[in-house]
Amino acid sequence: MLYNYLISFLLAVPLVGALLILLIKKDKDDLVRYFGLFISVAAFVVSLIIYFGYDAARGGFQLNEKYMWISNLHISYSVGIDGISLLLVLLTTFLTPLTLLSSWKSITKNVKGFTFFMLLLEVGMLGVFVSLDLFLFYIFWEAMLIPMYFIIGIWGGPRRVYASVKFFLFTMFGSLLMLVAIIWIGVYASGTLGHFSSDLIELYGIGPTIQYNIQLWMFLAFALSFAIKVPIFPLHTWLPDAHVEAPTAGSVILAGVLLKMGTYGLLRFCLPLFPQAALYFAPYISVLAIIGIIYGALVAMVQKDMKKLVAYSSVAHLGFVVLGIFALTQESMQGAVIQMVNHGLSTGALFLLVGVVYDRMHTRLIAEYGGIAKIVPVFAVFLMIASLSSIGLPGLNGFVGEFLILLGTFKSPVLDSWWYAGFAASGVIFAAVYLLWMYQRVVFGEVKNPKVNELKDMNKREVFILSAIFVFVIWIGVYPSTFLKVSESSTQKVIEQVLNIQNNGAK
Amino acid sequence: MLNNLQELYNVIPLLIIGGGILISLIIEMYFKKSETILPWFTILILLAAGFHALFNVYTIATAFQNMLAVGGGVSIFYFIFTIGAAIVVMLSIDYIKKYGTYYGEYYILIQTSVLGMMLMAGAKDLFVIFLGLELMSVSFYALAGLNRKKLKANEAALKYFLLGAFATGFIVYGIALIYGTVQSTSIDMISSRFSELISNKLFDAGILLFLIGFSFKIAAFPFHMWVPDVYEGSPSTVAGLFSTGGKAAAFSAIIVSLGILFTGRIGNIFTPYLSAIAVFSMVFGSIVAIAQDNIKRMLAYSSIAHAGYMIIGLASGNPLGVSGVIFYLTAYTFMNLAAFGVVALIEGREEANLSLKSYSGLASRSPLLAALLSIVMFSLAGIPPFAGFFGKYYVFIAAVKSNLTWLAIIGVLSSVISVYFYLRVVVLMYFKDSETELTLEKSNTGLFAVIVSVAVVIAIGVAPGSVIGLIAHFF
């Protein structure tokens, strides 16, 4: 019985948890921490139940719930989950408790507020992934800005105000144009359906009937919003600021989940709603994605700050995801989905590791470190694994995603040229260059900074957090089909939605 | 006889307020403790009138030989005016002591202004609109200059009076031209002959003058010059009333008198005019607000920008637009009163603590006020899931429906600009440390009023369907 309301339950757990935290007295920091952790673990458990209940072979949206919300505009609270969103939901609920755990000691100012906003953020992110109504989706998409804004602004670094406002304005700019597009398509739908509509399933049928030249504009309005979030070059400038200034937990969530909302949006909304436009823009966006891959890697190479380096590496990695989506083949699309998860895990791990040394040394400059392999051996090993996973070493998760994306891009009929895959592949090499070079400068060599000698190795809590992530890093690397088969039929469906139109159009 | 009784029952809200004014005058004159009795008495009659209107919202009728309409949209406006005014009175109880001077007239003037607003919203005749407008405006002029010893208050009152009188001149001239062409001031008569009269240039000029006059009252660009000075010079609570009740009343007058334009049955030939002032109000208000240091002036420019968003609903010229405007006004009333309420709570004696700087670090000193003001700021900026977002959403739908998508696009772009200055308040409160010591005077009723307003802002945000459903029922 409860099973049918699982998704609402999943959203309710962190929401109610966040509200309950407000009732706890302000000075009881530990109670707040344990309670927040308990709630986020509970949410993870709920998402696991959803995972085991999801019938991957059947595919499509499952566990759907739909209730009329604003009746005279036919807006409903409509949620459901498919293979693509399921993986991202799992990623979200998996990372949230880990980030809360990671900030156990580093966040001491207003713990109550921090935990409150983290749980609220989780609600927003989960809501984005499970919404099946454009309007509901938009609400989660925007509402999620508020907690992230506070997390960067209150617990962030020295330039946190600038970074948080920039983050907010950039995202808001894109999403408001999307709002106009959502309204437009709703009004357009009333011509066929007889009523205003924002129901995604209904609109899947209506979107492709929009006149070609209007569809191009609609696609752009949606894509701009998602491209800012991803971020696709040249809209990435908010990202390094936000990442560097955010506290570790914020960076992990930002890189791990928030950026995925952009690529998820492209997959879920842009492609199926405006297929002709998607086909038209596919080569252009792919070129931007490849520029992002190479540009991100080159800029990462010259960074002096570890966190900034990881931030730019995100631009490069997300470039792969976008390329995989717009190559529009089964392999590349599945690669893109798995790469979203991979990036969440490996970049999350890298940010956590940077956080580990930052908590001790209060600096993230690569030059301040060097020769720490003997002093903190456990850290050195963990950083190695995280770097290799991010580079895409076979046997670890990154390889699977990038390989599938490149393979799919190579034989993509939409892009129809091997140049795309060729250039994108260079990104893998660059990734090895900047990450291994950073690794070498931080971990090996002579000890230049005497303070490094007092560095303490990772404690049990930190080891636990990273080990939890590495379990999945290796699992995906060795046996990816556990995860690939979850998203198989769903990605297949997206491709059909786009390419069927092309075939019909050709007739 | 029965019919007359029913008619009398229908106009009870007006009678309550009218009677309330007379009783208040007596209380003021004969009771020593009038300072404590009067506000509560005012709240009582306002709430009584408001809820009477709300409970009888489905009774649609006319009264006084077809001079007044009751029920439906009119009742919704009554509710907005009275509840808004009641919140203002609650905020005033402690504020007015802090402000320095208490005059018994204060609460009576609030009641007379509400009566004026109600006449405007319920009018079935242009003269009733004029009557209501003057009743409201004259009360407002007096309220603005309440503290006659303060230079700024005098300036505000005089400026408001001169420009307001000028605007009224436009309206009267407009009414004269309309009468000249229709030979009647009855709104029903005008509406029924609208499509034939629309080709008469004199008639169009009359309507345009009428609209221009009300553009003053709703604080739309380029008739906005009085707004920042008046808001700054008047008591904060009163400024809250100007920006909510006053604006809503002016919109109600436009909607009742020119309702035929917004039904979509005949083309809205004033769309170009309305679109133009909407665009300029939104963009101008949002940009100039960025440069303000005084929170009341900032809210004044924000009020100009919001007038622009609401006018989009009128410019769309379809029923959805009108219900959008009314929804927007409902949402706006609560969020703006909450904003002015927090300003009034924080304002010190001698108009201290009005600069934006005095809000820095508020989160650590007064977490509740900071949280309330943040919600209001997010709502004003149009961020879901708060009421302000849905207001914008509805008027944008109306615009897109009337093929005015460009207007919606300019609307969202100016929202992005406005996010900057609304967020600045949040930045100061949460991300900065306090610069000056701030002593807050306790005001339980004021705080309660703000909490109620914010609760409504959240409630409308979470469940906008019932409110929009009720409004859309009548348009």
Side-chain angles (χ1 to χ4, degrees), chain A residues 274-425:
Chain A
F274 316 112
Q276 288 101 322
L279 287 170
Y280 173 79
F281 283 112
Y284 300 101
I285 294 181
S286 301
V287 167
L288 286 179
I290 290 167
I291 294 176
I293 293 173
I294 296 171
Y295 170 87
L298 291 177
V299 178
M301 222 179 276
V302 296
Q303 293 307 317
K304 296 188 173 94
D305 181 320
M306 284 192 264
K307 217 172 177 184
K308 230 173 185 166
L309 186 146
V310 181
Y312 276 106
S313 84
S314 289
V315 178
H317 281 117
L318 267 298
F320 274 105
V321 178
V322 174
L323 181 65
I325 292 171
F326 281 91
L328 284 162
T329 57
Q330 177 69 25
E331 292 87 353
S332 70
M333 189 95 57
Q334 279 213 275
V337 173
I338 203 79
Q339 185 67 1
M340 288 190 219
V341 179
N342 289 340
H343 177 261
L345 297 173
S346 49
T347 308
L350 282 172
F351 273 123
L352 286 167
L353 286 161
V354 174
V356 165
V357 283
Y358 179 78
D359 286 346
R360 293 161 170 73
M361 293 272 290
H362 298 287
T363 175
R364 293 184 299 253
L365 292 181
I366 297 172
E368 297 278 324
Y369 294 89
I372 61 172
K374 273 188 189 159
I375 306 160
V376 283
V378 179
F379 173 80
V381 171
F382 276 63
L383 187 61
M384 189 79 238
I385 301 174
S387 303
L388 290 176
S389 136
S390 185
I391 292 166
L393 184 82
L396 296 178
N397 61 349
F399 174 74
V400 177
E402 286 175 0
F403 179 76
L404 283 172
I405 290 169
L406 290 175
L407 183 71
T409 309
F410 195 74
K411 54 185 216 185
S412 158
V414 176
L415 298 178
D416 196 25
S417 160
W418 61 270
W419 285 100
Y420 293 96
F423 274 107

Side-chain angles (χ1 to χ4, degrees), chain A residues 123-188:
Chain A
V123 181
M125 296 184 299
L126 292 173
V128 164
F129 293 134
V130 299
S131 299
L132 290 184
D133 183 287
L134 284 179
F135 186 75
L136 187 67
F137 162 78
Y138 183 82
I139 292 202
F140 281 121
W141 174 271
E142 283 280 273
M144 177 229 75
L145 284 179
I146 299 174
M148 197 65 217
Y149 166 75
F150 279 109
I151 288 172
I152 300 176
I154 299 180
W155 294 275
R159 286 171 70 238
R160 57 183 197 271
V161 174
Y162 171 78
S164 59
V165 173
K166 191 172 178 181
F167 163 76
F168 205 108
L169 287 179
F170 257 72
T171 319
M172 186 93 187
F173 173 75
S175 48
L176 277 169
L177 287 178
M178 177 167 77
L179 177 66
V180 178
I182 290 177
I183 293 173
W184 194 93
I185 190 172
V187 171
Y188 176 84

Side-chain angles (χ1 to χ4, degrees), chain A residues 66-142:
Chain A
K66 189 172 178 179
Y67 315 102
M68 197 48 89
W69 181 27
I70 305 173
S71 51
N72 68 331
L73 290 175
H74 282 265
I75 292 170
S76 48
Y77 167 83
S78 170
V79 291
I81 202 159
D82 76 344
I84 301 167
S85 44
L86 177 59
L87 287 179
L88 293 168
V89 164
L90 283 170
L91 180 69
T92 310
T93 52
F94 175 67
L95 284 179
T96 306
L98 294 184
T99 51
L100 283 174
L101 207 53
S102 80
S103 35
W104 209 264
K105 289 268 157 23
S106 53
I107 301 287
T108 48
K109 179 171 98 180
N110 196 354
V111 179
K112 182 176 157 181
F114 180 77
T115 318
F116 171 73
F117 284 127
M118 284 299 281
L119 290 178
L120 224 49
L121 188 60
E122 189 177 9
V123 181
M125 296 184 299
L126 292 173
V128 164
F129 293 134
V130 299
S131 299
L132 290 184
D133 183 287
L134 284 179
F135 186 75
L136 187 67
F137 162 78
Y138 183 82
I139 292 202
F140 281 121
W141 174 271
E142 283 280 273

Side-chain angles (χ1 to χ4, degrees), chain B residues 34-250:
Chain B
S34 72
E35 197 176 339
T36 44
I37 302 170
L38 210 48
W40 291 108
F41 178 71
T42 311
I43 291 169
L44 184 75
I45 61 159
L46 286 171
L47 290 182
F51 281 100
H52 182 280
L54 190 66
F55 289 136
N56 294 290
V57 67
Y58 291 107
T59 327
I60 297 174
T62 56
F64 302 125
Q65 277 86 41
N66 209 17
M67 277 293 181
L68 276 180
V70 286
V74 178
S75 285
I76 296 170
F77 272 116
Y78 283 5
F79 187 72
I80 299 175
F81 300 149
T82 49
I83 301 303
I87 292 173
V88 169
V89 173
M90 290 181 76
L91 290 169
S92 306
I93 293 173
D94 291 300
Y95 176 82
I96 213 72
K97 291 178 201 149
K98 197 159 65 174
Y99 189 69
T101 37
Y102 168 74
Y103 298 105
E105 297 93 309
Y106 180 78
Y107 296 110
I108 300 167
L109 284 170
I110 288 180
Q111 293 175 45
T112 52
S113 72
V114 170
L115 186 64
M117 294 173 202
M118 290 165 81
L119 287 175
M120 282 162 85
K124 293 286 270 179
D125 192 286
L126 294 180
F127 278 122
V128 180
I129 290 191
F130 180 65
L131 186 72
L133 177 70
E134 282 307 277
L135 196 53
M136 176 188 87
S137 302
V138 173
S139 316
F140 276 1
Y141 306 147
L143 281 171
L146 190 71
N147 192 342
R148 47 184 174 255
K149 288 173 200 142
K150 273 187 185 153
L151 195 61
K152 269 199 174 159
N154 279 315
E155 184 199 336
L158 201 62
K159 204 165 205 171
Y160 199 8
F161 171 65
L162 287 176
L163 287 172
F166 190 54
T168 311
F170 274 92
I171 293 169
V172 176
Y173 196 23
I175 292 177
L177 289 182
I178 294 168
Y179 179 72
T181 45
V182 192
Q183 276 94 45
S184 165
T185 51
S186 154
I187 289 169
D188 282 342
M189 186 74 90
I190 298 168
S191 305
S192 62
R193 294 180 53 200
F194 212 95
S195 40
E196 96 187 59
L197 287 164
I198 207 101
S199 51
N200 188 337
K201 290 281 175 292
L202 212 55
F203 178 74
D204 292 348
I207 301 276
L208 194 60
L209 284 170
F210 190 77
L211 276 177
I212 288 175
F214 278 108
S215 305
F216 266 95
K217 299 288 173 189
I218 57 183
F221 184 91
F223 312 108
H224 63 278
M225 282 81 80
W226 57 276
V227 183
D229 294 328
V230 170
Y231 284 16
E232 193 189 0
S234 323
S236 302
T237 47
V238 171
L241 186 64
F242 294 168
S243 68
T244 54
K247 200 187 281 264

